[in-house]
Amino acid sequence: MAGADGDDSLYPIAVLIDELRNEDVQLRLNSIKKLSTIALALGVERTRTELLPFLTDTIYDEDEVLLALAEQLGNFTMLVGGPEYVHCLLPPLESLATVEETVVRDKAVESLRKISQEHSPVDLEVHFEPLVKRLASGDWFTSRTSACGLFSVCYPRVSSTVKAEIRQHFRTLCSDDTPMVRRAAASKLGEFAKVLELEYVKSDIISLFTALASDEQDSVRLLAVEACVSIATLLPQEDLETLVMPTLRQAAEDKSWRVRYMVADKFSELQKAVGPEITKNDLVPAFQNLLKDCEAEVRAAAANKVKEFCENLPEDNREQIIMTHILPCVKELVSDTNQHVKSALASVIMGLSTILGKDNTIEHLLPLFLAQLKDECPEVRLNIISNLDCVNEVIGIRQLSQSLLPAIVELAEDAKWRVRLAIIEYMPLLAGQLGVEFFDEKLNTLCMAWLIDHVYAIREAATCNLMKLVEKFGAEWAQNTIVPKVLGMANDPNYLHRMTTLFCINALSKACGQEITTKQMLPVVLKMSNDQVANVRFNVAKSLQKIGPILDSNALQTEVKPVLEKLASDTDMDVKYFAQEAISGKLSYHWVLKPFNRLSYI
Amino acid sequence: LSSSSLLLHHHHHPWSPIMETTKSMRRARQRRSHSSSQFRYQSSQVELTPLPLLKDAPVAELHDLFCKKLQQCCVLFDFLDCVADLKGKEIKRAALNELVESVATSRGVLIEPLYPEAIKMISVNIFRTLPPSENPEFDPEEDEPTLEASWPHLQLVYEFFLRFLESPDFQPSMAKRYVDQKFVLQLLELFDSEDPREREYLKTILHRVYGKLLGLRAYIRKQINNIFLRFIYETEHFNGVAELLEILGSIINGFALPLKSEHKQFLVRVLIPLHTAKSLSIFHAQLAYCVVQFMEKDATVTEYIIRGLLKYWPKTCTQKEVMFLGEIEEILDVIEPSQFMRIQEPLFKQIAACISSPHFQVAERALYFWNNEYILSLIEENCQVILPLVFATLYRVSKEHWNQTIVSLIYNVLKTFMEMNSKLFDDLTASYKVEKQKELKRERERAELWRGLEEYQERRMQMLTEAARNQRNLQERGERGDTLNPSSPQTAHSDQPEPKPSGASSGAGESAT
C-alpha cells in the first residue's frame, strides 16, 4: 500500500461514497457508523466540500442508517475543521430533524443541541438560529416538533431582538394545530422557562402553561404538569398562588386519570417546588384526594409517594398532618381492592415509622404492617419483608416476629417459584436482623428445604443464600448447623440432590476456610467421583477445580490429582473434558511452584 | 364528494372475522373484567320516577315527553356495583328503549328543539375518559378485552344515536350546530375503547356522520391522521386502528380524481408508515385494503407504495414479513404493467431475499407468487430484467434450503424460467460461478479498503495525541515565561491532509486554545 500514509488519491471520494451507498443495508450501516474514519481519510476540506453535501443530498434511507448518521454528525466538529466550521454540519442535521421516525429526529435534535454549544455567538445568530426558525415554521409537524427542542439552547446566547423572535416562535408552537407539536412544546416548556428572564417567565410562560394545561387533549395537559415543577421553582413564593396554583389545582382534579396520575407521580417534586405553606394548605388535601382516587393507577402512584411526601412536610406540624390527614387514607389503602395499590403502599409504608417515632409506630403503624404481612397478595408481603430494616431501627424487629414467621413460611412455600426466589433473597437480611438464635430455631429448616426444591433456580439461590449466611454467622456456625446436612445429601438417591451437595461446597468452601474444606468437604467430593451418574462425576471435576485454591498443595498432590487423573480417563466424554480442564486450570494455578509438571500437560 | 360515493361494503370481506382463534379461548381469563370510569363524575344521585309511555302520549305532548325522557337518560348509574339502584337503572333502560323505538319508527318526532337535548344526552353518556387497561400488556390477539360495565345503557345510547343519524327526518343543517368539531374529536377518542362492541357502533356512527355532515369531513380526516401518527410514532397503542381504517377504506373509495395532494400525503406519510406498527396483524387486512383502494383510484401512486413497503420491510419479524408478502401480492394483482416496470428491480431484489429466508413460511409465501397467473405474465414480459435478479438466489437456495417443500417449489420456479427464456437461463447458469467469484473479489476489496482506512485512522490518532502533547508542553513552557508564539489558527486550518503538520495541528490547536 504505497500511499497509505494518507495520500488522498489513494481513497478517491467515489470509492468511499460507494461504501456509503452500498446496496446491502447492513454494509451501508457499517460504513455510516465509521463515517469518522472516512472523514479523516478525506481531510477536513473535502469532508466539508464533498462528503457533507453528499450526505445532505442523499437523506432518504432506512431509519437505522439515518439514526447512525444523526449520531455521528454530533461528534463531527473536529472532522470538519473545528468550531469555526461547525455550521457545515447544520444542513444534513436539519434534514434529519424533519424525518418521520421519532428516534432519528430525536437523535438529530440531540446532535444539534450538542453542536450548538460549539457555535460562536455570531455563528449561532447567522447559521443556527435561522435553522431553528425554518424548522419552527415547517409544513409538516415533524420539523416543528424538532424545533421545540432547540429554542432553549440558543436563547441564552443571542441578542435581545432574536430572543424576542424565539419567544414568538415558541408561543406559536404551543398553540399549534397538531397535538404532536403541542405535546413537544409542552414537554420543553419547563426547560425553556429556565433560560428565560423572570419577567418573560411571568408574562409569556405562565399564559402558555395555563393554555397547555387546559388543552383539549389529555396527552398535552399531562405534560404541562411536568413543566409545572420547573416553573414553580423559578417563581418567587408570592407569585405562586396567583400564577401557578389555579392550574395545579385544576390538574389534580382533571377529568382524565392520566393527568391526575401525572400529578401523583410528580408529587414530591411539586411539593418541593411550591414550598411548605402551599403544601400545607393545598397539597395535603390534594394528596388525600389522590390517595382516594377512583382509578387504581392514580392511587398506586400516590401510594408510592406517601413516605416521601410525609418526609418533606414542614417539621413543625408534620406529625399532626400525618396523623390527622394522611394516616386515615393510608389505613384505607391497606385494604384496597387493587393489589398494585397495596403493594405500592407496602413498599414505602415502613418508612413512616422513622418519621413518626416509636410510640406512634407501635400504636398506629404496627397493626397495618401486620395486616399487610397477612395480605393475600405475595407481592405485598414481600414488599413489607424487604423493608424490615426501617422498622428494626425504630421498634426492633421482635415486635413483628410473631407475624413475620408465618408470613415468611408461607412465602417460602408459595406455589410460584419467583415468589420463593424473592423471599430467599431477603434471608440474609432477615437473619442479620433476627439474630442467630431465632434463625436456628425457626428459619434454618426452610433454608435447607430450598436445597431440594424442584426448581433449579431455587436450589441455586438456596446455595448462594447459605454462603451469605456463613459470611454472616461464621465458619463455626456453619460447621455445626449446615455443613453436616449439606454433606449428608451426598448419599441421597436423587442425583440432583447429590449435585446440590457439590454446588453448596463450591459456594461454601471459601467462607468455611481451609480446615473445614480439607477435612470435611474434600473427602465427600472425592468419594463422589465414583458416582454412577456422569453429571455428578463431571461436577466433581468442576468442584475440585473450584476448591483447589483453598486446599494446600499436599492435599492437591496426594488426593486431588489422582482422582482428577482417574476422571480424565473416564468413559464419558464430558467427564473427561472437565477433568482435563480442572487439571490444566489447577496446575497453571500452581505453575509458579511446579514449573516442570506443566509441560507434560501441554 | 357526494355522500352516495361512500360505500360501506366491508362486512363481506373475506378477512373481517380474522381473529377468532383457539388461542384466545385458551388464554381467556376466568373472570371477564368489566370497567367503567364514567359514573364517578356525577356527585349527587337523582332518583328517577317513571314517565308515561311515549306511545300513549297525546300528539301535543309528545315532544315535551320525548324531551323529558332525554333529560331523564342523562342520569348516570354505577354499574361496577351491580345491585345499586336497580329500579333507576331499569327506568332509564326502558326510557332509552322507547327513545330508540320512537326515533326508528315514527316520523315527525325529530324537531329542531330536540337536537340539542338529544346530542346532550348522547354526550353525557358516551363521552368519558377511558379507564386504564386492566392488563398493561394487553394483546388484542391473545387476551380477552375489558368490557364496558355500563354497556346495558351505553348500547342503547349508541343505538339511539345511530337511529337518530339514520332517521329520514334527520336534518344535517340542524345537527351540525351540535355535532361540531369538539364533539367529533371526543367521538374519535372513544375508538380507543377496549370493548369491541363499542368500537363496532362507533365505526358505523362515524361513517354516518362523515357521510351526512359534509363540513366535518376534512376535520375528521385530519384528526384520524393525528391519531394514527400518535399511534405510529408515540404510543404504539390504540385499540380502534382497524375500525378507523375500515371507514377510511370507504372514504378513499369516494375520493375525486385527480387525487388531492392532501390525500397523497396521507398515503405516503400515514398509511405506509402504519406498516411499521408492532400490532400490524390486527389491522393489516384493513390497511392493505386501503392501500389497494388508492392504487385502483390512481395508478401513479404505485411506486410510492412499493418503495414505501420496501423501506419498512420487516427485518426480524417473519410473521410480519409474510403479511407484507401477502400485501405485495394483492398489489401486484391490480398493478398496471407500466407501473410494474418501474418498481420491478427493487421489488424482486426483496423477493429474492425472502426466497432465501431460512423461515420456510416466508420463502414459501414469496414462491407462491409464481402460482399467480397475472404475476407470472408480468414476470414473463420482463424476464430479461427479473431473471438475472433472482437467478443466483434460486440456484443457491435450491441446493441449500433445509425444507424439502421449498426446494421443490424452487425447482418449479427454475423450470418455469427455463421455459420462459432458455437462452438467458443457460447464460446465467454458465456465468454463475464467475459472478460468485467476482462477488468474493469485491468483498475482499472492501475488507482491504476498510483495513487501510482504519490503519490510517490509527496512525492519525496517534499523531494527533502526540501533537496535542507537544502543544501542551509548549504552552506550559510559555506559561512559565518562555517566549513562544502559539501556532496561529490560520496555519492550523490549511488543510493539506498529510503528512504530519496541518491536519494534526488543527486538532492540537483546538485543545490548546
Side-chain angles (χ1 to χ4, degrees), chain B residues 82-345:
Chain B
C82 52
V83 290
D85 202 0
L86 285 174
K87 191 167 139 263
K89 283 178 186 164
E90 176 52 29
I91 292 170
K92 177 169 170 180
R93 195 194 60 79
L96 280 169
N97 261 330
E98 268 191 284
L99 291 170
V100 170
E101 171 81 18
S102 166
V103 125
T105 55
S106 27
R107 298 292 310 261
V109 185
L110 283 188
I111 56 164
E112 186 159 9
L114 289 182
Y115 278 71
E117 295 296 329
I119 295 303
K120 185 180 161 218
M121 188 279 280
I122 293 163
S123 306
V124 166
N125 278 280
I126 66 174
F127 294 151
R128 63 209 194 276
T129 306
L130 295 167
S133 180
E134 301 216 339
N135 176 1
E137 284 120 57
F138 175 66
D139 173 358
E141 282 208 301
E142 295 261 319
D143 299 326
E144 285 288 310
T146 308
L147 297 177
E148 174 56 48
S150 62
W151 190 244
H153 284 172
L154 207 53
Q155 181 194 2
L156 292 169
V157 176
Y158 277 124
E159 187 66 36
F160 172 77
F161 192 11
L162 190 57
R163 302 292 180 167
F164 174 75
L165 290 166
E166 286 176 346
S167 160
D169 292 340
F170 178 79
Q171 300 272 344
S173 57
M174 290 177 195
K176 74 178 181 197
R177 257 176 281 162
Y178 313 105
V179 181
D180 55 4
Q181 296 192 347
K182 188 159 184 272
F183 183 94
V184 169
L185 185 64
Q186 295 182 81
L187 195 69
L188 283 168
E189 277 171 10
L190 291 175
F191 275 81
D192 194 21
S193 169
E194 226 174 86
D195 193 329
R197 303 169 301 184
E198 180 166 20
R199 295 201 306 271
E200 190 63 31
Y201 263 113
L202 286 164
K203 183 178 75 187
T204 324
I205 285 168
L206 183 66
H207 184 261
R208 301 293 185 272
V209 170
Y210 191 90
K212 300 205 171 182
L213 299 170
L214 308 191
L216 286 172
R217 288 186 171 182
Y219 183 78
I220 292 177
R221 287 198 305 270
K222 197 170 81 185
Q223 294 308 327
I224 294 182
N225 271 4
N226 287 343
I227 289 178
F228 284 164
L229 288 168
R230 183 178 65 175
F231 168 73
I232 301 166
Y233 295 115
E234 293 181 18
T235 59
E236 284 211 62
H237 178 91
F238 192 83
N239 289 312
V241 176
E243 284 81 3
L244 289 175
L245 282 171
E246 215 172 306
I247 298 168
L248 282 166
S250 67
I251 292 177
I252 296 164
N253 223 320
F255 281 162
L257 285 172
L259 286 179
K260 285 195 226 160
S261 73
E262 175 214 323
H263 300 327
K264 283 191 189 166
Q265 187 168 31
F266 167 66
L267 170 69
V268 176
R269 307 193 109 156
V270 182
L271 282 188
I272 300 295
L274 264 178
H275 287 84
T276 58
K278 211 162 41 190
S279 52
L280 177 68
S281 62
I282 294 156
F283 55 83
H284 181 247
Q286 290 83 347
L287 180 58
Y289 178 78
C290 287
V291 167
V292 173
Q293 286 293 300
F294 257 109
M295 274 181 61
E296 294 202 283
K297 274 274 155 190
D298 178 358
T300 61
V301 300
T302 309
E303 192 173 346
Y304 293 124
I305 294 173
I306 303 257
R307 289 194 186 272
L309 288 177
L310 293 177
K311 178 178 173 188
Y312 295 128
W313 201 271
K315 302 278 184 302
T316 53
C317 180
T318 46
Q319 191 205 355
K320 269 173 81 172
E321 223 176 334
V322 173
M323 283 186 256
F324 270 56
L325 285 164
E327 186 169 347
I328 292 284
E329 181 160 3
E330 275 181 59
I331 290 169
L332 291 180
D333 258 334
V334 295
I335 200 168
E336 282 187 9
S338 61
Q339 295 294 330
F340 179 81
M341 286 167 70
R342 298 167 78 107
I343 48 83
Q344 56 182 346
E345 208 175 311

Side-chain angles (χ1 to χ4, degrees), chain A residues 514-584:
Chain A
Q514 199 186 53
E515 167 99 15
I516 299 176
T517 307
T518 317
K519 295 229 170 98
Q520 299 186 18
M521 295 176 173
L522 184 60
V524 176
V525 179
L526 295 174
K527 198 175 144 220
M528 287 170 88
S529 67
N530 299 318
D531 202 285
Q532 292 172 332
V533 179
N535 298 46
V536 177
R537 293 201 302 280
F538 74 63
N539 273 300
V540 166
K542 282 180 174 179
S543 285
L544 289 173
Q545 183 175 11
K546 236 331 158 353
I547 64 175
I550 299 155
L551 303 170
D552 61 39
S553 59
N554 182 36
L556 278 176
Q557 284 303 317
T558 58
E559 298 182 68
V560 176
K561 200 175 151 213
V563 169
L564 280 178
E565 276 165 353
K566 184 187 73 185
L567 289 174
S569 55
D570 198 279
T571 48
D572 186 276
M573 212 171 70
D574 295 322
V575 177
K576 248 192 242 180
Y577 171 79
F578 284 111
Q580 272 153 7
E581 281 282 288
I583 290 167
S584 56

Side-chain angles (χ1 to χ4, degrees), chain A residues 4-6 11 19 22-23 34 37 44-45 62 81 100 102 140 177 179 183 255 257 294-295, chain B residues 40-41 129-130 132 222 226 230 233-234 265 269 315 349 446 450 452 454 456-457 459 493 495 498:
Chain A
D5 58 355
Y11 301 123
E19 280 302 293
N22 198 303
E23 220 169 74
K34 289 187 251 174
T37 310
V44 295
E45 174 106 33
E62 302 255 348
E100 319 284 328
T102 328
W140 190 240
D177 202 25
R183 279 194 285 276
K255 67 182 194 320
W257 63 270
C294 52
E295 220 51 88
Chain B
R40 39 197 70 134
Y41 303 113
T129 306
L130 295 167
K222 197 170 81 185
N226 287 343
R230 183 178 65 175
Y233 295 115
E234 293 181 18
Q265 187 168 31
R269 307 193 109 156
K315 302 278 184 302
K349 279 180 187 161
R446 178 179 317 110
W450 277 106
E454 268 153 28
Y456 172 71
Q457 181 182 26
R459 274 202 310 281
H493 291 293
D495 180 48
E498 263 315 71

Side-chain angles (χ1 to χ4, degrees), chain B residues 397-416:
Chain B
V397 178
S398 73
K399 299 202 182 314
E400 286 175 1
H401 209 282
W402 61 273
N403 183 295
Q404 219 35 58
T405 319
I406 299 302
V407 173
S408 57
L409 280 170
I410 289 188
Y411 274 125
N412 286 338
V413 171
L414 283 170
K415 209 171 113 228
T416 318

Side-chain angles (χ1 to χ4, degrees), chain A residues 461-517:
Chain A
T463 35
C464 180
N465 173 43
L466 287 186
M467 181 182 78
K468 289 183 186 150
L469 290 174
V470 175
E471 280 166 5
K472 213 160 223 130
F473 293 150
E476 198 186 327
W477 173 81
Q479 196 173 6
N480 295 330
T481 49
I482 58 172
V483 171
K485 290 186 194 166
V486 166
L487 296 182
M489 281 165 61
N491 302 318
D492 197 285
N494 186 335
Y495 85 98
L496 290 173
H497 298 170
R498 299 202 294 281
M499 291 216 299
T500 304
T501 300
L502 291 172
F503 298 146
C504 285
I505 289 173
N506 295 348
L508 296 177
S509 57
K510 193 158 167 252
C512 287
Q514 199 186 53
E515 167 99 15
I516 299 176
T517 307

